[in-house]
């Protein structure tokens, strides 16, 4: 049997009750009615919902305004900045909205192995004296230093070593030119002007663009969407009436009336009103690629012929097709260099009070945080270990075993801790649990030298002597009810006694619990793990806030306020040996 490492998970209170939200214009959040039975309800760590509410303490934040634990599910994320992970260039949010969430510089990944690509010239490097100062001429290609892939394999070459993203957007695989969005927009204007019958006094280069576009060309996803959007906008503009203010009758292309007319093309006009029914006949569907219609070939004869000629190794894998922006790529020759996805730095806010819990530095090169309210700095940490050093890998059924719970206080104030556990753990196999000292105090997290000076160098005077390993091994000190086991400057250890349950299903009737009588199935996964739900209540006194102290007057400057924090945690102590 493999070894077991004890663990401690903390429950976020957002899963018990709905988190109150704050409306606009209100000074305090709306709180739900208090339920007196919440404290009496035992938390079940084996419930399906518990999997989404238990976190290690390192993953939790703390709200100073609400005085509550906050998990990743009850915080709001806000994007601070966008940046490229390759060149560490900060990208404005306006560029992200217009160009997409990929780097628009010369940062690309290999479509074969996702390694970074570098720009190099096809010409041989110059030799001789001063060769390092001579600028290389084109054409340039993208090379992969890991799998030796090159953009020359798919027929893509560049004229300049910089601005690769804009150059790649104009080149198709094989070296053919791609019609840009600006050229398509000019072509649509020319076709609309030609359809209306207006005369043009002098020829412009835009007419040549109109002649070169193919109505049956194969479009990529961005070009097809742009053509479809422009086509339906023109259809809606022609079929809708214009109001007195110059707007369409339904106030825009995204209005419910405009969407109803589009749906009327496919539903027979049942979703449109009487006024728009008369204009449905003026609208039509896209007819060619210039209007966004992309015909899918009825057979894959070309792909089958290419597969017979080049073999199975010429096809793209599922991972390569997933990483590529074009999901329709079937062969390696259809893959293109992949621009780096942008990363974000995010700040976190509390959903209840909108207080900032975490905010990183906006500078890309640094990993520091301006605000970082982690729960480790507000909640006592809990460590669990066996009291006696035993070599057994599992717990023996019906044999009492003692564990040592160590609470470490991160606050600068002395805290009072109250523990509550059920008599038996939830589940079919309930183990008996007893905390020998359920109430105790933990010292403040002060300087060690300050404590030494306060005690005057005599630690025995306080009666809180630390137990040595020799004393614990000799058994001179036994765990007693109502007394702490060991105490330090800002930590306290208490004893937890567990009597593991028997895993036998066919045991005597008087030893079987109600859950075993109703469910006598075989042992399920992780049912042999002893998980103990512990309700922790922490109380301490701290200095009053500056806002409250300002209105009390000078005589109450030393006023103290009492704070309290209660939460559930789960202790995983070990596995029960099977009979």
């Amino acid at each position: 049997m493999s070894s077991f490492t004890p663990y401690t998970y903390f429950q976020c209170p957002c899963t018990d009750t709905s988190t109150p939200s704050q409306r606009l214009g209100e000074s305090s959040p709306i709180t739900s009615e208090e339920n007196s039975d919440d404290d009496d309800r035992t938390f079940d760590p084996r419930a399906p919902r518990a999997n989404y509410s238990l976190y290690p303490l390192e993953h939790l934040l703390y709200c100073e305004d609400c005085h509550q634990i906050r998990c990743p599910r009850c915080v709001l994320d806000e994007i601070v900045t966008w940046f490229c992970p390759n060149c560490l260039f900060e990208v404005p949010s306006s560029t992200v909205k217009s160009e997409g969430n990929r780097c628009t510089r010369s940062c690309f990944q290999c479509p074969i192995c996702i390694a970074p690509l570098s720009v190099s010239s096809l010409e041989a490097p110059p030799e001789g004296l001063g060769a390092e100062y001579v600028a290389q001429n084109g054409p340039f290609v993208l090379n992969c230093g890991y799998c030796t892939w090159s953009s020359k394999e798919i027929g893509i070459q560049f004229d300049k070593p910089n601005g690769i993203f804009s150059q790649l957007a104009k080149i198709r695989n094989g070296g053919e030119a791609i019609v840009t969005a600006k050229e398509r927009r000019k072509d649509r204007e020319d076709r609309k002007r030609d359809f209306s019958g207006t005369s043009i006094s002098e020829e412009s280069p835009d007419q040549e663009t109109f002649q070169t576009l193919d109505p049956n060309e194969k479009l990529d996803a961005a070009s097809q969407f742009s053509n479809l959007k422009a086509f339906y906008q023109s259809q809606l503009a022609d079929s809708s009436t214009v109001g007195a203010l110059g707007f369409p009758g339904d106030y825009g292309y995204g209005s419910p009336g405009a969407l109803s007319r589009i749906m009327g093309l496919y539903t027979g006009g049942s979703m449109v009103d009487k006024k728009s029914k008369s204009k449905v006949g003026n609208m039509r569907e896209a007819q060619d690629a210039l209007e966004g219609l992309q015909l899918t070939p009825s057979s894959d004869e070309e792909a089958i012929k290419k597969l017979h000629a080049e073999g199975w190794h010429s096809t793209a894998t599922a991972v390569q097709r997933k990483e590529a922006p074009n999901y329709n790529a079937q062969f390696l020759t259809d893959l293109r260099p992949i621009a780096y996805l942008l990363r974000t730095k995010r700040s976190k806010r509390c959903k209840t009070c909108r207080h900032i819990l975490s905010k990183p530095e906006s500078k890309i090169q640094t990993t520091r945080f301006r605000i970082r309210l982690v729960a480790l700095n507000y909640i006592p940490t809990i460590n669990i270990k066996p009291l006696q050093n035993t070599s057994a890998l599992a717990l023996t059924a019906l044999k009492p075993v003692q564990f040592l719970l160590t609470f470490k206080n991160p606050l600068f104030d002395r805290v009072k801790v109250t523990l509550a556990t059920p008599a038996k753990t939830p589940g079919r196999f309930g183990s008996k649990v007893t905390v020998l000292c359920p109430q105790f105090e933990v010292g403040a997290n002060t300087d060690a030298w300050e404590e030494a000076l306060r005690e005057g160098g005599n630690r025995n005077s306080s009666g809180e002597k630390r137990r040595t390993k020799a004393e614990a091994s000799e058994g001179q000190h036994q765990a007693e009810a109502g007394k702490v086991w060991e105490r330090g400057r800002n930590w306290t250890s208490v004893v937890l006694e567990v009597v593991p349950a028997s895993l036998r299903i066919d045991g005597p009737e008087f030893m079987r619990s109600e859950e075993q009588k109703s469910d006598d199935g075989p042992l399920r996964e992780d049912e042999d793990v002893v998980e103990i739900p512990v309700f922790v209540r922490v109380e301490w006194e701290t200095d009053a806030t500056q806002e409250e102290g300002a209105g009390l007057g000078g005589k109450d400057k030393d006023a103290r306020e009492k704070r309290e924090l209660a939460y559930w945690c789960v202790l995983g102590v070990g596995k029960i040996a099977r009979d």
Side-chain angles (χ1 to χ4, degrees):
M1 181 181 294
S2 60
S3 60
F4 183 87
T5 302
Y7 57 85
T8 304
Y9 289 153
F10 292 77
Q11 187 218 14
C12 181
C14 68
T15 56
D16 287 343
T17 57
S18 59
T19 303
S21 59
Q22 180 178 1
R23 297 177 181 176
L24 295 177
E26 294 182 352
S27 57
S28 61
I30 302 174
T31 57
S32 59
E33 297 182 359
E34 297 182 357
N35 188 1
S36 59
D37 298 335
D38 287 347
D39 294 341
D40 300 335
R41 186 176 63 253
T42 302
F43 176 73
D44 187 5
R46 300 187 183 278
R49 193 174 182 180
N51 297 330
Y52 305 97
S53 61
L54 295 176
Y55 300 90
L57 189 58
E58 296 81 7
H59 296 181
L60 297 175
L61 300 174
Y62 184 83
C63 180
E64 291 183 339
D65 289 358
C66 302
H67 304 295
Q68 285 293 338
I69 301 172
R70 291 292 176 249
C71 67
R73 298 180 61 195
C74 54
V75 296
L76 298 174
D77 289 347
E78 295 181 357
I79 297 178
V80 177
T81 180
W82 299 76
F83 67 95
C84 173
N86 187 47
C87 62
L88 297 181
F89 179 76
E90 184 177 352
V91 182
S93 58
S94 58
T95 305
V96 176
K97 294 179 181 179
S98 59
E99 301 293 340
N101 60 338
R102 293 187 179 271
C103 183
T104 57
R105 305 180 80 189
S106 301
C107 304
F108 286 89
Q109 292 177 285
C110 176
I112 306 299
C113 63
I114 320 299
L117 298 177
S118 59
V119 183
S120 61
S121 176
L122 291 178
E123 292 185 353
E127 299 179 355
L129 185 63
E132 61 273 10
Y133 300 104
V134 178
Q136 293 184 345
N137 298 324
F140 300 91
V141 293
L142 291 172
N143 291 325
C144 178
Y146 184 78
C147 65
T148 67
W149 180 86
S150 175
S151 61
K152 187 179 179 181
E153 299 178 8
I154 57 176
I156 293 180
Q157 300 179 4
F158 308 99
D159 299 331
K160 299 181 295 182
N162 49 8
I164 301 298
F165 184 86
S166 58
Q167 296 184 64
L168 185 64
K170 302 177 182 179
I171 306 176
R172 200 188 304 271
N173 286 15
E176 300 179 0
I178 298 178
V179 181
T180 62
K182 184 177 180 180
E183 293 174 348
R184 293 185 183 278
R185 185 165 55 253
K186 291 182 178 179
D187 173 72
R188 285 192 292 268
E189 294 176 358
D190 290 343
R191 287 189 288 107
K192 185 176 181 180
R193 189 184 303 113
D194 182 70
F195 180 77
S196 60
T198 57
S199 59
I200 303 176
S201 57
E202 55 186 21
E203 293 185 357
S204 62
D206 298 343
Q207 291 182 344
E208 299 179 0
T209 306
F210 168 71
Q211 297 293 336
T212 57
L213 294 181
D214 184 11
N216 299 322
E217 66 174 330
K218 188 176 181 180
L219 302 174
D220 55 349
S223 301
Q224 183 182 6
F225 176 78
S226 177
N227 290 356
L228 276 175
K229 181 180 178 181
F231 169 73
Y232 280 117
Q233 284 182 353
S234 62
Q235 290 289 304
L236 290 173
D238 295 340
S239 62
S240 61
T241 59
V242 179
L245 298 179
F247 295 100
D250 292 316
Y251 303 100
Y253 302 119
S255 61
L259 297 177
S260 300
R261 284 195 296 273
I262 295 178
M263 293 300 297
L265 295 175
Y266 307 98
T267 59
S270 60
M271 297 183 63
V272 295
D273 54 0
K274 296 181 179 179
K275 184 178 179 180
S276 59
K277 275 185 178 180
S278 59
K279 298 183 179 293
V280 173
N282 298 332
M283 298 184 64
R284 59 180 180 84
E285 295 185 2
Q287 297 178 351
D288 52 17
L290 301 178
E291 296 177 350
L293 177 63
Q294 190 68 63
L295 298 178
T296 303
S298 58
S299 62
D300 296 335
E301 296 181 358
E302 297 182 0
I304 294 175
K305 291 180 180 178
K306 190 174 183 179
L307 184 61
H308 282 297
E310 301 182 4
W312 175 259
H313 299 287
S314 62
T315 59
T317 63
V319 178
Q320 294 171 353
R321 297 179 63 180
K322 181 180 178 182
E323 295 292 339
N326 182 18
Y327 295 100
N328 297 326
Q330 297 180 351
F331 296 90
L332 296 179
T333 54
D334 298 334
L335 298 176
R336 294 170 61 85
I338 306 171
Y340 267 88
L341 274 174
L342 299 180
R343 305 298 192 268
T344 59
K345 280 191 171 185
R346 297 171 180 261
S347 63
K348 300 181 182 295
R349 289 181 179 268
C350 176
K351 278 186 178 180
T352 305
C353 62
R354 299 298 192 269
H355 183 69
I356 298 179
L357 306 179
S358 175
K359 186 175 183 179
E361 289 280 354
S362 58
K363 188 180 295 185
I364 307 301
Q365 289 77 9
T366 182
T367 57
R368 294 179 298 181
F369 284 82
R370 291 185 178 180
I371 302 174
R372 183 75 168 169
L373 304 181
V374 293
L376 280 170
N377 299 333
Y378 298 88
I379 299 176
T381 58
I382 304 176
N383 296 324
I384 182 171
K385 64 178 181 180
L387 182 60
Q388 302 293 338
N389 295 327
T390 59
S391 58
L393 298 178
L395 305 177
T396 305
L398 305 179
K399 180 180 179 181
V401 59
Q402 294 180 342
F403 293 89
L404 202 61
L405 294 180
T406 303
F407 288 78
K408 188 174 182 180
N409 181 22
L411 300 175
F412 295 103
D413 302 297
R414 193 178 188 88
V415 299
K416 179 182 178 181
V417 180
T418 304
L419 305 180
T421 59
K424 285 188 177 182
T425 57
R428 291 196 301 169
F429 307 99
S431 302
K432 296 182 180 180
V433 182
T434 304
V435 180
L436 298 187
C437 185
Q439 292 184 357
F440 54 90
E441 291 186 356
V442 185
N445 186 18
T446 56
D447 191 5
W449 293 104
E450 180 182 350
E451 182 186 7
L453 293 175
R454 183 174 62 253
E455 294 180 357
N458 186 10
R459 294 181 179 270
N460 295 330
S461 60
S462 60
E464 297 177 357
K465 178 183 177 182
R466 293 190 181 183
R467 306 177 191 271
T468 61
K469 294 183 178 180
E471 293 174 346
S473 61
E474 292 174 1
Q476 296 180 0
H477 297 275
Q478 299 295 331
E480 300 179 8
K483 293 185 179 181
V484 299
W485 175 259
E486 194 174 2
R487 192 188 302 272
R489 175 173 54 89
N490 66 326
W491 57 271
T492 302
S493 298
V494 296
V495 177
L496 175 71
E497 187 175 80
V498 180
V499 181
S502 177
L503 301 179
R504 297 184 59 181
I505 304 296
D506 54 350
E509 188 70 19
F510 67 91
M511 295 184 60
R512 300 175 63 184
S513 62
E514 296 295 335
E515 290 81 1
Q516 292 181 2
K517 294 178 182 179
S518 59
D519 185 6
D520 56 352
L523 189 67
R524 302 185 183 92
E525 183 181 4
D526 292 339
E527 268 195 320
D528 55 346
V529 178
V530 179
E531 291 184 334
I532 306 172
V534 180
F535 186 75
V536 183
R537 186 185 300 274
V538 183
E539 301 175 0
W540 72 97
E541 290 185 356
T542 183
D543 297 334
T545 57
Q546 296 181 1
E547 291 80 1
E548 296 177 355
L552 294 176
K555 60 180 181 180
D556 295 333
K557 288 184 179 179
D558 298 334
R560 307 275 291 180
E561 64 174 343
K562 187 176 180 180
R563 292 185 180 179
E564 179 181 335
L565 180 63
Y567 52 89
W568 282 95
C569 64
V570 176
L571 306 178
V573 297
K575 288 186 176 182
I576 305 175
R578 303 189 181 185
D579 298 338

